[in-house]
Amino acid sequence: MTATLNTGPHQILPFTAYDHLGFLQFCSGSSLAYELTKPGKITRKTRRRSLASRVLFGSFSFAAWEKMQLHISPSLRHVTVLPGKGVREFIKVKVGSRRLSYRMLFYSLLFLTFLLRFVFVLSAVDTIDGESKCSTIEEPMSKDELKGRSDIPQTLEEFMADMKESKSDAKTFAIKLRDMVTLMEQRTRTAKIQEYLYRHVASSSIPKQLHCLALRLANEHSTNAAARLQLPSAELVPALVDNSYFHYVLASDNVLATSVVATSLVKNSLHPAKIVLHIITDRKTYYPMQAWFSLHPLSPAIIEVKALQHFDWFSKGKVPVLEAMEKDQRVRAQFRGGSSAIVANNTEKPYVIAAKLQALSPKYNSLMNHIRIHLPEMFPSLNKVVFLDDDLVVQTDLSPLWDIDMNGKVNGAVATCRGDDKFVMSKTLKSYLNFSHPLISRNFDPNECAWAYGMNIFDLEAWRKTNISQTYHYWLEQNLKSDLSLWQLGTLPPGLIAFHGHVHVIDPFWHMLGLGYQENTSFADAESAGVIHFNGRAKPWLDIAFPKLRPLWSKYINFSDKFIKSCHIRAS
């Protein structure tokens, strides 16, 4: 006996297996036949037929077109076909457990049900515009073509209302949706690029208050002998090479920022008379820096102010860091036209434009940023120093750092791959280095923990036994040869490479990071850290600083000072 599927017009419903009765649903595209032979065996035949968007659920037709129903027992061991006209005769088929697993039968039927549904959907879509002809959608319009078109919906609500009102066909629906998405993508891209440009301008420019302070101090240096004192005084010069003191090094061309670091360091120290702070600056900032610390001494701490040209090492022969910076500047010169030309490029992705804007930032081509790699040559008599960035605040006594056993390592630093702050303390090497470049992927592990610059203990004795400085300059050269493609800009990525294997991890209490990137850190948490670092664009001396955290920095400024007042530098 042969039963074929009745492909009468029925609504598409999902297949559902009930406890006592199973309903089967099939989508047409071929007609199926089940042949009942001897007991315990069911075979299937398939015959091709024309495409139709129709479904059968649970109905069969015999040769006499008598409608039948299919019942499946709860155990799935019996399949029963019942007449549809009330006749109680039925055919019972027992499935042999040995020959055919009832689980296999169930899953086969389930799979067949879904397979036929997909065939129906694909066939229906293929014939939506007719049986024999296909429609195509033109390429997306350009930015200029989309500009000013009033027929493109501006929001999803407008689009849905327009579709309901016009009752458009599928092709019109697709074209309008494409135009709307394309226009919104273009607007999003423009907004992102504008944001990157504004951030670049805000973080790169020198506030007029700081410019005013440098000019007034330079004028004071030229007219006031008290602003031209030798720093330190002659009787304290021997302390500059005495390893019984706590030696700190700070490189900066920002007088106000340097004064905050120095003041917070000395005020929070339990042994201020043992502090020697070596301030390194450039030629243009030397006189303002000397004038400030001549007129604002931090006794009993010893302050040395020195310009780079005052170092014998710097004035002898070729300086690798200067050569690297000159080459770096030539590479950056390819960004002709400055920031305006960069943002006008309509073909590059926003993150590429952001990287190019970042490349124009003065801090990435500042000698103050690179000079730390030459500390052993600059201070040949010292055994250990703590290097401080100019955008941090010291909130505790740092003398215990000299008691840390470095275990033969060169760089004592806080690891940045673990901590409660997942935004800041989740950095591994892949956060900084480009592991799609074979030169990086062959030599480093992307999941290795990164560490932070800003507050570092450097064992200069151990450093001199290594080739760290040479490694640093080698990788700077490789990055220039690779068109700046090995890492994100800055001095940390080449530092991560140069100090690889030479880092001793210290307690995160000594260095809280990220206060210039986000304000998620609470005031209480920041206040309880030993050192807080405003690394990021939102420096505390800029207008874009986070108001909640800025008081932790500004409390070390005397706003009644005549230079501060005359330049209108305020607490907020």
Side-chain angles (χ1 to χ4, degrees):
M1 180 185 300
T2 300
T4 60
L5 296 179
N6 179 4
T7 56
H10 294 283
Q11 184 181 1
I12 299 176
L13 294 173
F15 173 81
T16 308
Y18 293 93
D19 290 340
H20 300 290
L21 181 64
F23 289 97
L24 297 181
Q25 168 193 325
F26 299 94
C27 300
S28 65
S30 65
S31 62
L32 301 180
Y34 284 84
E35 183 177 15
L36 307 183
T37 57
K38 56 185 178 180
K41 185 175 182 181
I42 299 178
T43 60
R44 186 183 66 177
K45 298 180 180 179
T46 304
R47 297 195 310 273
R48 297 295 302 172
R49 56 165 293 166
S50 62
L51 175 68
S53 55
R54 291 167 295 191
V55 177
L56 167 75
F57 48 106
S59 297
F60 286 77
S61 176
F62 285 89
W65 298 98
E66 183 180 36
K67 298 223 172 163
M68 311 293 289
Q69 290 184 339
L70 177 67
H71 291 255
I72 303 175
S73 68
S75 64
L76 297 179
R77 289 182 174 273
H78 293 84
V79 179
T80 304
V81 181
L82 295 177
K85 294 184 178 182
V87 183
R88 299 304 304 166
E89 296 178 10
F90 60 89
I91 302 172
K92 185 175 289 187
V93 182
K94 185 172 183 179
V95 181
S97 59
R98 293 185 180 178
R99 295 189 180 183
L100 181 64
S101 167
Y102 67 89
R103 290 178 181 271
M104 182 62 69
L105 175 62
F106 174 76
Y107 288 124
S108 298
L109 292 174
L110 184 63
F111 172 75
L112 183 62
T113 300
F114 283 101
L115 180 62
L116 291 176
R117 287 191 67 193
F118 292 142
V119 170
F120 166 74
V121 171
L122 291 175
S123 301
V125 170
D126 186 54
T127 58
I128 195 169
D129 288 323
E131 292 185 2
S132 60
K133 63 178 182 178
C134 298
S135 62
T136 59
I137 298 177
E138 300 84 0
E139 290 295 320
M141 294 184 177
S142 66
K143 180 180 178 180
D144 293 334
E145 290 175 321
L146 288 174
K147 203 173 191 180
R149 279 187 52 185
S150 58
D151 61 320
I152 300 177
Q154 303 298 307
T155 65
L156 184 60
E157 289 76 11
E158 285 185 28
F159 174 76
M160 296 303 296
D162 188 18
M163 289 298 99
K164 287 180 181 179
E165 183 179 343
S166 61
K167 297 181 180 179
S168 305
D169 58 17
K171 182 177 179 180
T172 306
F173 177 93
I175 292 174
K176 283 205 170 186
L177 181 62
R178 180 205 62 191
D179 290 345
M180 186 183 75
V181 171
T182 302
L183 185 62
M184 295 185 74
E185 283 179 348
Q186 290 174 353
R187 289 176 175 175
T188 302
R189 179 185 183 278
T190 302
K192 271 186 169 293
I193 291 172
Q194 288 297 319
E195 179 189 1
Y196 293 143
L197 177 61
Y198 296 152
R199 284 184 179 179
H200 164 70
V201 172
S203 61
S204 301
S205 23
I206 301 173
K208 62 181 181 180
Q209 295 92 338
L210 298 189
H211 188 61
C212 166
L213 181 62
L215 290 177
R216 287 189 176 274
L217 288 169
N219 180 66
E220 192 73 14
H221 185 276
S222 64
T223 58
N224 184 357
R228 300 192 297 271
L229 299 178
Q230 178 185 345
L231 296 176
S233 58
E235 65 273 13
L236 296 176
V237 169
L240 300 179
V241 294
D242 188 342
N243 283 293
S244 65
Y245 284 82
F246 303 132
H247 292 268
Y248 300 87
V249 179
L250 192 158
S252 176
D253 57 0
N254 185 328
V255 176
L256 186 64
T258 301
S259 72
V260 170
V261 177
T263 303
S264 64
L265 171 67
V266 175
K267 283 192 173 183
N268 289 294
S269 176
L270 298 178
H271 312 283
K274 299 289 288 182
I275 289 177
V276 177
L277 177 59
H278 305 267
I279 298 174
I280 305 169
T281 190
D282 57 11
R283 189 187 300 272
K284 66 178 175 56
T285 315
Y286 173 69
Y287 293 135
M289 193 78 76
Q290 186 186 29
W292 177 269
F293 285 100
S294 294
L295 299 172
H296 303 84
L298 293 171
S299 301
I302 300 169
I303 307 295
E304 178 191 30
V305 177
K306 211 168 183 180
L308 278 173
Q309 64 268 21
H310 296 154
F311 287 89
D312 293 338
W313 160 82
F314 190 79
S315 59
K316 291 179 183 177
K318 293 183 178 180
V319 180
V321 70
L322 290 180
E323 291 182 342
M325 287 178 59
E326 289 172 2
K327 294 176 183 177
D328 184 72
Q329 188 61 42
R330 288 198 294 271
V331 173
R332 296 174 200 276
Q334 65 182 293
F335 305 139
R336 299 177 184 273
S339 57
S340 299
I342 291 174
V343 299
N345 191 322
N346 292 324
T347 59
E348 289 185 316
K349 295 181 178 179
Y351 73 87
V352 176
I353 291 177
K356 288 187 175 183
L357 287 173
Q358 201 174 21
L360 295 179
S361 178
K363 72 176 183 178
Y364 291 117
N365 197 38
S366 169
L367 189 57
M368 297 297 102
N369 248 356
H370 290 275
I371 204 64
R372 75 188 85 196
I373 202 65
H374 291 292
L375 288 176
E377 296 96 327
M378 299 175 73
F379 300 98
S381 301
L382 298 182
N383 298 333
K384 183 182 286 189
V385 299
V386 169
F387 191 91
L388 303 173
D389 276 359
D390 65 357
D391 54 352
L392 55 77
V393 176
V394 178
Q395 302 185 128
T396 190
D397 176 42
L398 297 186
S399 57
L401 295 176
W402 267 260
D403 298 327
I404 294 176
D405 184 2
M406 300 274 285
N407 296 317
K409 302 294 185 182
V410 174
N411 179 6
V414 169
T416 56
C417 63
R418 50 184 175 269
D420 295 333
D421 190 339
K422 299 302 181 185
F423 180 81
V424 177
M425 305 299 285
S426 60
K427 309 295 185 184
T428 58
L429 293 189
K430 66 183 177 184
S431 305
Y432 300 99
L433 305 180
N434 178 18
F435 278 87
S436 64
H437 197 290
L439 201 57
I440 295 295
S441 58
R442 283 199 305 264
N443 292 282
F444 305 101
D445 177 7
N447 297 314
E448 185 175 335
C449 193
W451 47 268
Y453 260 154
M455 202 294 301
N456 302 87
I457 312 165
F458 288 121
D459 186 333
L460 301 185
E461 275 192 306
W463 190 337
R464 294 183 186 102
K465 298 174 185 177
T466 70
N467 62 347
I468 289 173
S469 298
Q470 294 87 340
T471 302
Y472 184 89
H473 293 297
Y474 168 80
W475 281 96
L476 282 182
E477 187 73 25
Q478 294 304 310
N479 193 37
L480 291 173
K481 290 179 180 178
S482 302
D483 197 22
L484 304 178
S485 64
L486 296 187
W487 56 69
Q488 295 181 10
L489 292 166
T491 55
L492 180 57
L496 292 171
I497 294 175
F499 287 101
H500 191 254
H502 298 286
V503 177
H504 175 75
V505 177
I506 62 176
D507 193 295
F509 164 79
W510 296 111
H511 192 182
M512 175 178 279
L513 293 139
L515 303 191
Y517 283 117
Q518 45 78 39
E519 53 182 341
N520 297 329
T521 305
S522 70
F523 185 90
D525 287 343
E527 195 175 33
S528 64
V531 175
I532 55 175
H533 194 173
F534 290 86
N535 58 312
R537 290 188 177 94
K539 301 300 184 189
W541 54 84
L542 297 176
D543 291 337
I544 60 174
F546 299 121
K548 179 179 70 174
L549 301 173
R550 193 173 188 268
L552 294 171
W553 178 84
S554 60
K555 70 180 183 179
Y556 293 101
I557 299 175
N558 178 11
F559 291 99
S560 63
D561 180 84
K562 70 173 185 176
F563 296 103
I564 299 295
K565 287 179 68 175
S566 64
C567 290
H568 306 288
I569 298 173
R570 298 182 177 88
S572 59

